[in-house]
Amino acid sequence: MEQTNWPPEHSDALCQHLAKRLPFSEIVKAINRKFGTSYTRNAAIGRARRMGLGGPDRPQPVLQVVPPRLERIIKPWPAEPGSAPLRWPSPPLKTQEPPKLRCAKVEPRHLSLVELEPGDCHYPYGGDEEGEAITFCGHPRRSGSSYCTPHFHLSRNPVAPPEREDSDNAIWLRILETT
C-alpha cells in the first residue's frame, strides 16, 4: 500500500468540505479537480479519521423514507384452482421397482491384490462394509480385458448376444475344466 502525505492545503480543503457536510465521494471529486490529484474516497475517509474529523459522530445524511401509497400496492388476482400461472408443475409419482441385480455364474477365487497374477481376472469382491477386505475373482481373464468372460459380460453388456454368449460359455467351460 502506498503511503500518501497530504499537503496542508489539501487537508484544509478536506476540512472545509466536511464542514459543508458533503459526502466523501463529492469531497474527493472537488479536491482532485482543484489540485489535480487522484485521491480515492477511502483515502479521504482515512485522512479525515486521522485528523479526528470523520468519526462516528459525523452526521450521516438523512434518507427520505416515503411510505408506500395504498393505491400502488397490488393485490394478487384470484386464480382458479389448477391454473397454470400459480401452479408449479410436478412430475407424476410412479412407483418404481428396484432394478434386478445380475450376477456372474462363477465362483471367485478371492485373491488379494498381491496374489493376483498378470493373467488373472481383476473383478473386485467385498469392501462394502467398513474394514471389509477387497478380494478379486482371480480366474483367467479374457483377452483384451481385465475381467474373465462372465465378469466382462456382467460389466459391459446388460444382455449379451446369444451367439457370443454360447461361444464364450463354451470357452469358459473348457478353461474351468483345465484348472
Side-chain angles (χ1 to χ4, degrees):
M1 186 159 60
E2 184 179 314
Q3 181 71 24
T4 58
N5 294 326
W6 285 57
E9 57 271 6
H10 296 191
S11 297
D12 292 339
L14 178 64
C15 290
Q16 291 170 2
H17 292 296
L18 282 172
K20 296 177 188 174
R21 298 186 178 206
L22 292 174
F24 282 104
S25 59
E26 295 297 321
I27 294 170
V28 168
K29 287 178 187 175
I31 292 174
N32 286 339
R33 211 177 8 240
K34 182 177 181 180
F35 298 108
T37 57
S38 58
Y39 292 127
T40 63
R41 177 182 165 271
N42 287 336
I45 292 172
R47 181 62 182 164
R49 284 190 181 155
R50 286 190 299 276
M51 293 171 55
L53 301 173
D57 58 337
R58 181 172 185 256
Q60 299 296 323
V62 179
L63 297 176
Q64 303 253 342
V65 179
V66 178
R69 293 181 293 180
L70 292 178
E71 54 271 359
R72 300 224 32 204
I73 297 175
I74 300 172
K75 293 182 182 178
W77 287 55
E80 296 178 18
S83 64
L86 299 178
R87 186 169 174 244
W88 187 264
S90 60
L93 298 176
K94 295 179 183 178
T95 58
Q96 292 183 348
E97 294 182 23
K100 293 181 181 180
L101 299 177
R102 301 180 303 139
C103 299
K105 297 175 183 166
V106 62
E107 184 63 34
R109 293 175 50 202
H110 292 291
L111 299 177
S112 69
L113 185 61
V114 176
E115 297 170 330
L116 279 177
E117 297 292 325
D120 292 341
C121 175
H122 287 74
Y123 193 84
Y125 283 90
D128 298 330
E129 299 173 10
E130 191 166 330
E132 183 181 7
I134 297 176
T135 58
F136 297 91
C137 173
H139 287 290
R141 69 180 192 190
R142 177 187 173 128
S143 64
S145 173
S146 296
Y147 299 144
C148 60
T149 301
H151 286 132
F152 174 81
H153 288 298
L154 181 68
S155 64
R156 299 290 194 300
N157 301 328
V159 177
E163 66 276 354
R164 288 198 62 184
E165 191 172 283
D166 292 338
S167 64
D168 287 341
N169 282 341
I171 294 170
W172 179 250
L173 288 174
R174 276 189 250 135
I175 291 172
L176 287 179
E177 290 172 359
T178 59
T179 56

Short mmCIF file of all heavy atoms in Angstrom, two decimals, residues 13-78:
data_model
loop_
_atom_site.label_atom_id
_atom_site.label_comp_id
_atom_site.label_asym_id
_atom_site.label_seq_id
_atom_site.Cartn_x
_atom_site.Cartn_y
_atom_site.Cartn_z
N ALA A 13 -8.75 21.87 2.58
CA ALA A 13 -9.90 21.72 1.68
C ALA A 13 -10.81 20.59 2.16
O ALA A 13 -12.04 20.71 2.10
CB ALA A 13 -9.41 21.45 0.25
N LEU A 14 -10.22 19.52 2.67
CA LEU A 14 -10.99 18.42 3.21
C LEU A 14 -11.84 18.90 4.40
O LEU A 14 -13.03 18.60 4.48
CB LEU A 14 -10.06 17.27 3.63
CG LEU A 14 -10.71 16.04 4.28
CD1 LEU A 14 -11.64 15.34 3.30
CD2 LEU A 14 -9.64 15.09 4.76
N CYS A 15 -11.22 19.69 5.29
CA CYS A 15 -11.95 20.22 6.45
C CYS A 15 -13.10 21.13 6.01
O CYS A 15 -14.20 21.06 6.58
CB CYS A 15 -11.00 21.02 7.35
SG CYS A 15 -9.81 19.98 8.21
N GLN A 16 -12.86 21.96 5.01
CA GLN A 16 -13.91 22.88 4.54
C GLN A 16 -15.11 22.11 3.97
O GLN A 16 -16.26 22.44 4.24
CB GLN A 16 -13.35 23.83 3.49
CG GLN A 16 -12.37 24.84 4.03
CD GLN A 16 -11.67 25.60 2.90
OE1 GLN A 16 -11.95 25.39 1.73
NE2 GLN A 16 -10.75 26.48 3.29
N HIS A 17 -14.82 21.08 3.18
CA HIS A 17 -15.90 20.30 2.56
C HIS A 17 -16.64 19.47 3.61
O HIS A 17 -17.85 19.29 3.50
CB HIS A 17 -15.36 19.41 1.45
CG HIS A 17 -14.89 20.18 0.25
ND1 HIS A 17 -15.73 20.95 -0.52
CD2 HIS A 17 -13.66 20.30 -0.30
CE1 HIS A 17 -15.05 21.51 -1.50
NE2 HIS A 17 -13.77 21.13 -1.39
N LEU A 18 -15.89 18.97 4.62
CA LEU A 18 -16.55 18.23 5.69
C LEU A 18 -17.48 19.14 6.49
O LEU A 18 -18.54 18.71 6.94
CB LEU A 18 -15.52 17.59 6.63
CG LEU A 18 -14.84 16.31 6.12
CD1 LEU A 18 -13.71 15.89 7.04
CD2 LEU A 18 -15.84 15.20 5.97
N ALA A 19 -17.08 20.41 6.65
CA ALA A 19 -17.93 21.37 7.37
C ALA A 19 -19.23 21.62 6.61
O ALA A 19 -20.26 21.91 7.21
CB ALA A 19 -17.18 22.68 7.58
N LYS A 20 -19.19 21.47 5.28
CA LYS A 20 -20.40 21.63 4.47
C LYS A 20 -21.26 20.36 4.46
O LYS A 20 -22.30 20.34 3.81
CB LYS A 20 -20.03 21.98 3.02
CG LYS A 20 -19.33 23.30 2.87
CD LYS A 20 -18.94 23.50 1.42
CE LYS A 20 -18.08 24.73 1.24
NZ LYS A 20 -17.60 24.84 -0.15
N ARG A 21 -20.76 19.31 5.14
CA ARG A 21 -21.45 18.01 5.25
C ARG A 21 -21.65 17.33 3.89
O ARG A 21 -22.68 16.72 3.64
CB ARG A 21 -22.77 18.17 5.98
CG ARG A 21 -22.60 18.65 7.38
CD ARG A 21 -23.90 18.66 8.11
NE ARG A 21 -23.64 19.10 9.47
CZ ARG A 21 -24.38 18.79 10.50
NH1 ARG A 21 -25.43 18.04 10.33
NH2 ARG A 21 -24.09 19.24 11.69
N LEU A 22 -20.66 17.46 3.03
CA LEU A 22 -20.71 16.77 1.74
C LEU A 22 -20.29 15.31 1.93
O LEU A 22 -19.47 14.99 2.80
CB LEU A 22 -19.77 17.45 0.75
CG LEU A 22 -20.13 18.84 0.27
CD1 LEU A 22 -19.03 19.41 -0.60
CD2 LEU A 22 -21.44 18.80 -0.49
N PRO A 23 -20.77 14.43 1.11
CA PRO A 23 -20.30 13.04 1.17
C PRO A 23 -18.86 12.95 0.68
O PRO A 23 -18.39 13.78 -0.10
CB PRO A 23 -21.26 12.28 0.27
CG PRO A 23 -21.98 13.29 -0.53
CD PRO A 23 -21.87 14.60 0.18
N PHE A 24 -18.15 11.93 1.16
CA PHE A 24 -16.74 11.77 0.82
C PHE A 24 -16.52 11.63 -0.68
O PHE A 24 -15.51 12.10 -1.21
CB PHE A 24 -16.13 10.59 1.56
CG PHE A 24 -15.81 10.88 2.99
CD1 PHE A 24 -16.61 10.41 4.01
CD2 PHE A 24 -14.70 11.64 3.33
CE1 PHE A 24 -16.31 10.68 5.34
CE2 PHE A 24 -14.38 11.92 4.64
CZ PHE A 24 -15.20 11.44 5.66
N SER A 25 -17.44 11.02 -1.39
CA SER A 25 -17.25 10.89 -2.83
C SER A 25 -17.25 12.26 -3.51
O SER A 25 -16.44 12.51 -4.42
CB SER A 25 -18.35 10.00 -3.42
OG SER A 25 -19.62 10.54 -3.15
N GLU A 26 -18.09 13.18 -3.07
CA GLU A 26 -18.11 14.53 -3.62
C GLU A 26 -16.89 15.33 -3.18
O GLU A 26 -16.33 16.12 -3.96
CB GLU A 26 -19.38 15.27 -3.19
CG GLU A 26 -20.66 14.66 -3.73
CD GLU A 26 -20.72 14.72 -5.23
OE1 GLU A 26 -20.29 15.74 -5.80
OE2 GLU A 26 -21.20 13.75 -5.85
N ILE A 27 -16.46 15.13 -1.94
CA ILE A 27 -15.27 15.82 -1.43
C ILE A 27 -14.05 15.46 -2.27
O ILE A 27 -13.26 16.32 -2.67
CB ILE A 27 -15.04 15.51 0.06
CG1 ILE A 27 -16.17 16.09 0.91
CG2 ILE A 27 -13.69 16.02 0.54
CD1 ILE A 27 -16.15 15.63 2.36
N VAL A 28 -13.88 14.18 -2.54
CA VAL A 28 -12.71 13.71 -3.31
C VAL A 28 -12.75 14.26 -4.73
O VAL A 28 -11.72 14.69 -5.26
CB VAL A 28 -12.67 12.17 -3.31
CG1 VAL A 28 -11.69 11.64 -4.32
CG2 VAL A 28 -12.32 11.65 -1.94
N LYS A 29 -13.92 14.29 -5.34
CA LYS A 29 -14.02 14.85 -6.70
C LYS A 29 -13.61 16.32 -6.71
O LYS A 29 -12.86 16.75 -7.59
CB LYS A 29 -15.45 14.71 -7.22
CG LYS A 29 -15.84 13.31 -7.59
CD LYS A 29 -17.29 13.26 -8.05
CE LYS A 29 -17.74 11.84 -8.27
NZ LYS A 29 -19.17 11.76 -8.61
N ALA A 30 -14.05 17.08 -5.70
CA ALA A 30 -13.72 18.51 -5.65
C ALA A 30 -12.23 18.72 -5.40
O ALA A 30 -11.59 19.57 -6.04
CB ALA A 30 -14.54 19.19 -4.55
N ILE A 31 -11.63 17.95 -4.48
CA ILE A 31 -10.19 18.10 -4.19
C ILE A 31 -9.36 17.68 -5.40
O ILE A 31 -8.39 18.37 -5.77
CB ILE A 31 -9.81 17.28 -2.93
CG1 ILE A 31 -10.45 17.90 -1.68
CG2 ILE A 31 -8.29 17.20 -2.76
CD1 ILE A 31 -10.24 17.09 -0.42
N ASN A 32 -9.71 16.60 -6.04
CA ASN A 32 -8.95 16.13 -7.21
C ASN A 32 -9.06 17.13 -8.36
O ASN A 32 -8.08 17.37 -9.08
CB ASN A 32 -9.45 14.75 -7.67
CG ASN A 32 -9.00 13.64 -6.73
OD1 ASN A 32 -8.03 13.79 -5.98
ND2 ASN A 32 -9.72 12.53 -6.76
N ARG A 33 -10.22 17.74 -8.53
CA ARG A 33 -10.41 18.73 -9.59
C ARG A 33 -9.59 20.00 -9.30
O ARG A 33 -8.94 20.55 -10.18
CB ARG A 33 -11.90 19.07 -9.67
CG ARG A 33 -12.38 19.45 -11.02
CD ARG A 33 -13.88 19.72 -11.10
NE ARG A 33 -14.56 19.74 -9.80
CZ ARG A 33 -15.56 18.90 -9.46
NH1 ARG A 33 -15.98 18.00 -10.31
NH2 ARG A 33 -16.13 18.98 -8.28
N LYS A 34 -9.60 20.42 -8.04
CA LYS A 34 -8.93 21.66 -7.67
C LYS A 34 -7.41 21.53 -7.70
O LYS A 34 -6.71 22.41 -8.19
CB LYS A 34 -9.39 22.09 -6.27
CG LYS A 34 -8.80 23.39 -5.80
CD LYS A 34 -9.37 23.77 -4.46
CE LYS A 34 -8.80 25.11 -3.99
NZ LYS A 34 -9.35 25.48 -2.67
N PHE A 35 -6.88 20.42 -7.18
CA PHE A 35 -5.42 20.27 -7.04
C PHE A 35 -4.80 19.33 -8.07
O PHE A 35 -3.58 19.15 -8.08
CB PHE A 35 -5.08 19.77 -5.64
CG PHE A 35 -5.50 20.72 -4.55
CD1 PHE A 35 -6.56 20.42 -3.71
CD2 PHE A 35 -4.84 21.93 -4.36
CE1 PHE A 35 -6.95 21.30 -2.71
CE2 PHE A 35 -5.21 22.79 -3.36
CZ PHE A 35 -6.27 22.49 -2.52
N GLY A 36 -5.60 18.71 -8.94
CA GLY A 36 -5.05 17.80 -9.94
C GLY A 36 -4.50 16.52 -9.32
O GLY A 36 -3.51 15.97 -9.82
N THR A 37 -5.08 16.05 -8.26
CA THR A 37 -4.62 14.83 -7.58
C THR A 37 -5.51 13.67 -7.98
O THR A 37 -6.45 13.82 -8.77
CB THR A 37 -4.67 15.03 -6.05
OG1 THR A 37 -6.00 15.38 -5.68
CG2 THR A 37 -3.71 16.11 -5.61
N SER A 38 -5.21 12.52 -7.42
CA SER A 38 -6.04 11.33 -7.71
C SER A 38 -6.32 10.58 -6.40
O SER A 38 -6.08 9.39 -6.30
CB SER A 38 -5.33 10.42 -8.72
OG SER A 38 -4.08 10.03 -8.20
N TYR A 39 -6.82 11.31 -5.41
CA TYR A 39 -7.19 10.68 -4.15
C TYR A 39 -8.44 9.83 -4.36
O TYR A 39 -9.30 10.15 -5.18
CB TYR A 39 -7.48 11.73 -3.07
CG TYR A 39 -6.27 12.53 -2.64
CD1 TYR A 39 -6.30 13.92 -2.67
CD2 TYR A 39 -5.12 11.91 -2.19
CE1 TYR A 39 -5.21 14.67 -2.25
CE2 TYR A 39 -4.03 12.64 -1.78
CZ TYR A 39 -4.07 14.02 -1.81
OH TYR A 39 -3.00 14.75 -1.40
N THR A 40 -8.55 8.78 -3.57
CA THR A 40 -9.75 7.95 -3.60
C THR A 40 -10.65 8.32 -2.43
O THR A 40 -10.23 9.02 -1.49
CB THR A 40 -9.39 6.46 -3.50
OG1 THR A 40 -8.77 6.21 -2.24
CG2 THR A 40 -8.48 6.01 -4.65
N ARG A 41 -11.85 7.84 -2.49
CA ARG A 41 -12.80 8.09 -1.42
C ARG A 41 -12.28 7.52 -0.11
O ARG A 41 -12.35 8.16 0.94
CB ARG A 41 -14.14 7.44 -1.79
CG ARG A 41 -15.20 7.56 -0.75
CD ARG A 41 -16.48 6.84 -1.22
NE ARG A 41 -17.37 6.65 -0.11
CZ ARG A 41 -17.37 5.61 0.71
NH1 ARG A 41 -16.49 4.65 0.55
NH2 ARG A 41 -18.24 5.53 1.70
N ASN A 42 -11.71 6.33 -0.16
CA ASN A 42 -11.17 5.71 1.06
C ASN A 42 -9.97 6.48 1.60
O ASN A 42 -9.77 6.54 2.82
CB ASN A 42 -10.78 4.25 0.80
CG ASN A 42 -12.00 3.37 0.65
OD1 ASN A 42 -13.06 3.70 1.16
ND2 ASN A 42 -11.84 2.25 -0.03
N ALA A 43 -9.18 7.08 0.73
CA ALA A 43 -8.05 7.89 1.20
C ALA A 43 -8.56 9.11 1.95
O ALA A 43 -8.00 9.49 2.99
CB ALA A 43 -7.18 8.32 0.03
N ALA A 44 -9.62 9.73 1.47
CA ALA A 44 -10.20 10.89 2.15
C ALA A 44 -10.81 10.49 3.48
O ALA A 44 -10.68 11.21 4.49
CB ALA A 44 -11.25 11.55 1.26
N ILE A 45 -11.46 9.33 3.53
CA ILE A 45 -12.03 8.85 4.80
C ILE A 45 -10.93 8.60 5.81
O ILE A 45 -11.02 9.00 6.98
CB ILE A 45 -12.87 7.58 4.56
CG1 ILE A 45 -14.12 7.90 3.76
CG2 ILE A 45 -13.25 6.93 5.89
CD1 ILE A 45 -14.90 6.68 3.30
N GLY A 46 -9.85 7.95 5.36
CA GLY A 46 -8.73 7.68 6.26
C GLY A 46 -8.08 8.95 6.76
O GLY A 46 -7.72 9.06 7.95
N ARG A 47 -7.90 9.94 5.87
CA ARG A 47 -7.28 11.21 6.28
C ARG A 47 -8.18 11.94 7.28
O ARG A 47 -7.70 12.51 8.27
CB ARG A 47 -7.01 12.09 5.05
CG ARG A 47 -6.36 13.41 5.36
CD ARG A 47 -5.02 13.21 5.98
NE ARG A 47 -4.41 14.49 6.32
CZ ARG A 47 -3.40 14.65 7.11
NH1 ARG A 47 -2.83 13.58 7.66
NH2 ARG A 47 -2.91 15.83 7.37
N ALA A 48 -9.48 11.92 7.05
CA ALA A 48 -10.41 12.59 7.97
C ALA A 48 -10.38 11.91 9.34
O ALA A 48 -10.42 12.58 10.38
CB ALA A 48 -11.82 12.56 7.39
N ARG A 49 -10.28 10.61 9.37
CA ARG A 49 -10.21 9.90 10.65
C ARG A 49 -8.91 10.23 11.38
O ARG A 49 -8.90 10.38 12.60
CB ARG A 49 -10.33 8.40 10.43
CG ARG A 49 -11.74 7.99 10.13
CD ARG A 49 -11.91 6.50 10.16
NE ARG A 49 -13.30 6.17 9.84
CZ ARG A 49 -13.68 5.04 9.34
NH1 ARG A 49 -12.78 4.09 9.09
NH2 ARG A 49 -14.95 4.80 9.09
N ARG A 50 -7.81 10.29 10.63
CA ARG A 50 -6.53 10.62 11.28
C ARG A 50 -6.53 12.05 11.82
O ARG A 50 -5.87 12.34 12.80
CB ARG A 50 -5.37 10.42 10.28
CG ARG A 50 -5.04 8.95 10.03
CD ARG A 50 -3.75 8.78 9.24
NE ARG A 50 -3.79 9.39 7.92
CZ ARG A 50 -4.30 8.83 6.83
NH1 ARG A 50 -4.85 7.64 6.91
NH2 ARG A 50 -4.26 9.46 5.68
N MET A 51 -7.30 12.91 11.15
CA MET A 51 -7.41 14.30 11.63
C MET A 51 -8.46 14.42 12.73
O MET A 51 -8.62 15.49 13.33
CB MET A 51 -7.77 15.23 10.46
CG MET A 51 -6.67 15.36 9.42
SD MET A 51 -7.18 16.23 7.94
CE MET A 51 -7.77 17.76 8.58
N GLY A 52 -9.18 13.33 13.02
CA GLY A 52 -10.21 13.35 14.04
C GLY A 52 -11.52 13.95 13.58
O GLY A 52 -12.33 14.38 14.40
N LEU A 53 -11.76 13.98 12.28
CA LEU A 53 -12.97 14.62 11.74
C LEU A 53 -14.00 13.63 11.20
O LEU A 53 -15.14 14.01 11.00
CB LEU A 53 -12.59 15.59 10.61
CG LEU A 53 -11.63 16.71 10.98
CD1 LEU A 53 -11.21 17.46 9.74
CD2 LEU A 53 -12.28 17.64 11.99
N GLY A 54 -13.62 12.43 10.92
CA GLY A 54 -14.53 11.51 10.23
C GLY A 54 -15.00 10.38 11.09
O GLY A 54 -15.27 9.30 10.59
N GLY A 55 -15.15 10.59 12.37
CA GLY A 55 -15.56 9.53 13.27
C GLY A 55 -17.04 9.24 13.21
O GLY A 55 -17.77 9.78 12.38
N PRO A 56 -17.50 8.41 14.14
CA PRO A 56 -18.91 8.04 14.13
C PRO A 56 -19.84 9.19 14.50
O PRO A 56 -21.03 9.13 14.25
CB PRO A 56 -18.99 6.93 15.18
CG PRO A 56 -17.75 7.05 16.00
CD PRO A 56 -16.73 7.72 15.14
N ASP A 57 -19.30 10.28 15.11
CA ASP A 57 -20.16 11.41 15.47
C ASP A 57 -20.47 12.31 14.29
O ASP A 57 -21.24 13.25 14.40
CB ASP A 57 -19.50 12.23 16.60
CG ASP A 57 -18.14 12.75 16.20
OD1 ASP A 57 -17.51 12.18 15.29
OD2 ASP A 57 -17.69 13.75 16.80
N ARG A 58 -19.87 12.05 13.13
CA ARG A 58 -20.15 12.84 11.94
C ARG A 58 -21.58 12.57 11.51
O ARG A 58 -21.99 11.42 11.36
CB ARG A 58 -19.18 12.46 10.81
CG ARG A 58 -19.40 13.26 9.55
CD ARG A 58 -18.29 12.98 8.54
NE ARG A 58 -18.46 13.85 7.41
CZ ARG A 58 -18.94 13.44 6.23
NH1 ARG A 58 -19.29 12.20 6.06
NH2 ARG A 58 -19.04 14.29 5.24
N PRO A 59 -22.38 13.57 11.33
CA PRO A 59 -23.78 13.34 10.97
C PRO A 59 -23.89 12.68 9.59
O PRO A 59 -23.21 13.08 8.65
CB PRO A 59 -24.40 14.74 10.98
CG PRO A 59 -23.26 15.69 10.90
CD PRO A 59 -22.06 14.99 11.45
N GLN A 60 -24.71 11.69 9.54
CA GLN A 60 -24.95 10.98 8.29
C GLN A 60 -26.10 11.66 7.55
O GLN A 60 -26.99 12.24 8.17
CB GLN A 60 -25.32 9.52 8.58
CG GLN A 60 -24.24 8.75 9.31
CD GLN A 60 -22.98 8.61 8.47
OE1 GLN A 60 -23.04 8.43 7.27
NE2 GLN A 60 -21.82 8.73 9.12
N PRO A 61 -26.08 11.61 6.24
CA PRO A 61 -27.19 12.21 5.51
C PRO A 61 -28.48 11.49 5.83
O PRO A 61 -28.51 10.26 5.96
CB PRO A 61 -26.80 12.05 4.04
CG PRO A 61 -25.73 11.03 4.02
CD PRO A 61 -25.08 11.05 5.35
N VAL A 62 -29.53 12.21 6.00
CA VAL A 62 -30.82 11.64 6.33
C VAL A 62 -31.50 11.19 5.04
O VAL A 62 -31.65 11.97 4.10
CB VAL A 62 -31.70 12.68 7.06
CG1 VAL A 62 -33.07 12.09 7.40
CG2 VAL A 62 -31.00 13.19 8.30
N LEU A 63 -31.87 9.94 5.03
CA LEU A 63 -32.55 9.40 3.85
C LEU A 63 -34.04 9.66 3.99
O LEU A 63 -34.63 9.46 5.04
CB LEU A 63 -32.29 7.89 3.73
CG LEU A 63 -30.84 7.48 3.52
CD1 LEU A 63 -30.72 5.97 3.51
CD2 LEU A 63 -30.31 8.06 2.23
N GLN A 64 -34.62 10.12 2.95
CA GLN A 64 -36.05 10.40 2.95
C GLN A 64 -36.79 9.09 2.70
O GLN A 64 -36.64 8.46 1.66
CB GLN A 64 -36.37 11.40 1.84
CG GLN A 64 -35.61 12.68 1.95
CD GLN A 64 -36.50 13.81 2.42
OE1 GLN A 64 -37.71 13.70 2.33
NE2 GLN A 64 -35.89 14.86 2.90
N VAL A 65 -37.57 8.68 3.68
CA VAL A 65 -38.34 7.46 3.55
C VAL A 65 -39.77 7.85 3.25
O VAL A 65 -40.41 8.57 4.01
CB VAL A 65 -38.28 6.62 4.85
CG1 VAL A 65 -39.11 5.37 4.71
CG2 VAL A 65 -36.84 6.29 5.18
N VAL A 66 -40.24 7.40 2.10
CA VAL A 66 -41.59 7.71 1.69
C VAL A 66 -42.41 6.44 1.88
O VAL A 66 -42.08 5.40 1.30
CB VAL A 66 -41.63 8.17 0.22
CG1 VAL A 66 -43.04 8.44 -0.24
CG2 VAL A 66 -40.72 9.37 0.03
N PRO A 67 -43.47 6.49 2.68
CA PRO A 67 -44.29 5.29 2.84
C PRO A 67 -44.99 4.96 1.53
O PRO A 67 -45.33 5.86 0.75
CB PRO A 67 -45.29 5.66 3.93
CG PRO A 67 -45.33 7.15 3.94
CD PRO A 67 -43.99 7.61 3.46
N PRO A 68 -45.21 3.69 1.29
CA PRO A 68 -45.86 3.33 0.03
C PRO A 68 -47.32 3.79 0.03
O PRO A 68 -48.00 3.79 1.06
CB PRO A 68 -45.78 1.80 0.01
CG PRO A 68 -45.60 1.41 1.43
CD PRO A 68 -44.88 2.53 2.10
N ARG A 69 -47.75 4.22 -1.13
CA ARG A 69 -49.14 4.64 -1.27
C ARG A 69 -50.02 3.40 -1.42
O ARG A 69 -49.63 2.43 -2.06
CB ARG A 69 -49.30 5.55 -2.48
CG ARG A 69 -48.57 6.87 -2.29
CD ARG A 69 -48.77 7.74 -3.48
NE ARG A 69 -48.05 7.11 -4.62
CZ ARG A 69 -48.01 7.61 -5.84
NH1 ARG A 69 -48.64 8.71 -6.11
NH2 ARG A 69 -47.35 7.00 -6.78
N LEU A 70 -51.18 3.46 -0.83
CA LEU A 70 -52.05 2.30 -0.84
C LEU A 70 -52.49 1.92 -2.24
O LEU A 70 -52.68 0.75 -2.55
CB LEU A 70 -53.27 2.54 0.06
CG LEU A 70 -52.96 2.62 1.55
CD1 LEU A 70 -54.23 2.93 2.32
CD2 LEU A 70 -52.34 1.35 2.04
N GLU A 71 -52.67 2.91 -3.09
CA GLU A 71 -53.10 2.58 -4.45
C GLU A 71 -52.01 1.90 -5.28
O GLU A 71 -52.28 1.33 -6.32
CB GLU A 71 -53.64 3.81 -5.19
CG GLU A 71 -52.73 5.00 -5.25
CD GLU A 71 -52.89 5.96 -4.07
OE1 GLU A 71 -53.71 5.75 -3.18
OE2 GLU A 71 -52.14 6.93 -4.06
N ARG A 72 -50.77 1.97 -4.79
CA ARG A 72 -49.67 1.32 -5.53
C ARG A 72 -49.48 -0.12 -5.12
O ARG A 72 -48.75 -0.86 -5.78
CB ARG A 72 -48.36 2.08 -5.31
CG ARG A 72 -48.48 3.50 -5.79
CD ARG A 72 -47.37 4.03 -6.56
NE ARG A 72 -46.64 3.10 -7.38
CZ ARG A 72 -45.39 3.31 -7.75
NH1 ARG A 72 -44.75 4.36 -7.34
NH2 ARG A 72 -44.77 2.46 -8.51
N ILE A 73 -50.07 -0.51 -4.00
CA ILE A 73 -49.95 -1.90 -3.57
C ILE A 73 -50.87 -2.74 -4.44
O ILE A 73 -52.06 -2.47 -4.58
CB ILE A 73 -50.34 -2.05 -2.08
CG1 ILE A 73 -49.37 -1.24 -1.22
CG2 ILE A 73 -50.34 -3.51 -1.68
CD1 ILE A 73 -49.73 -1.23 0.24
N ILE A 74 -50.30 -3.75 -5.02
CA ILE A 74 -51.04 -4.59 -5.96
C ILE A 74 -51.43 -5.88 -5.25
O ILE A 74 -50.59 -6.57 -4.69
CB ILE A 74 -50.20 -4.90 -7.21
CG1 ILE A 74 -49.82 -3.61 -7.90
CG2 ILE A 74 -50.95 -5.84 -8.14
CD1 ILE A 74 -48.83 -3.81 -9.03
N LYS A 75 -52.72 -6.16 -5.30
CA LYS A 75 -53.19 -7.41 -4.72
C LYS A 75 -53.19 -8.47 -5.82
O LYS A 75 -53.47 -8.18 -6.98
CB LYS A 75 -54.60 -7.23 -4.17
CG LYS A 75 -54.64 -6.30 -2.99
CD LYS A 75 -56.04 -6.19 -2.45
CE LYS A 75 -56.07 -5.23 -1.29
NZ LYS A 75 -57.43 -5.05 -0.76
N PRO A 76 -52.87 -9.72 -5.44
CA PRO A 76 -52.89 -10.76 -6.48
C PRO A 76 -54.32 -11.04 -6.93
O PRO A 76 -55.27 -10.94 -6.16
CB PRO A 76 -52.29 -11.97 -5.76
CG PRO A 76 -52.47 -11.71 -4.32
CD PRO A 76 -52.46 -10.22 -4.15
N TRP A 77 -54.44 -11.35 -8.18
CA TRP A 77 -55.74 -11.68 -8.75
C TRP A 77 -56.15 -13.06 -8.26
O TRP A 77 -55.33 -13.96 -8.16
CB TRP A 77 -55.65 -11.71 -10.26
CG TRP A 77 -55.53 -10.36 -10.88
CD1 TRP A 77 -54.60 -9.43 -10.61
CD2 TRP A 77 -56.38 -9.79 -11.85
NE1 TRP A 77 -54.78 -8.31 -11.35
CE2 TRP A 77 -55.90 -8.52 -12.15
CE3 TRP A 77 -57.49 -10.23 -12.53
CZ2 TRP A 77 -56.50 -7.69 -13.06
CZ3 TRP A 77 -58.08 -9.41 -13.44
CH2 TRP A 77 -57.59 -8.15 -13.69
N PRO A 78 -57.39 -13.24 -7.96
CA PRO A 78 -57.82 -14.58 -7.57
C PRO A 78 -57.69 -15.52 -8.76
O PRO A 78 -58.08 -15.19 -9.88
CB PRO A 78 -59.28 -14.40 -7.14
CG PRO A 78 -59.71 -13.12 -7.75
CD PRO A 78 -58.49 -12.28 -7.95
#
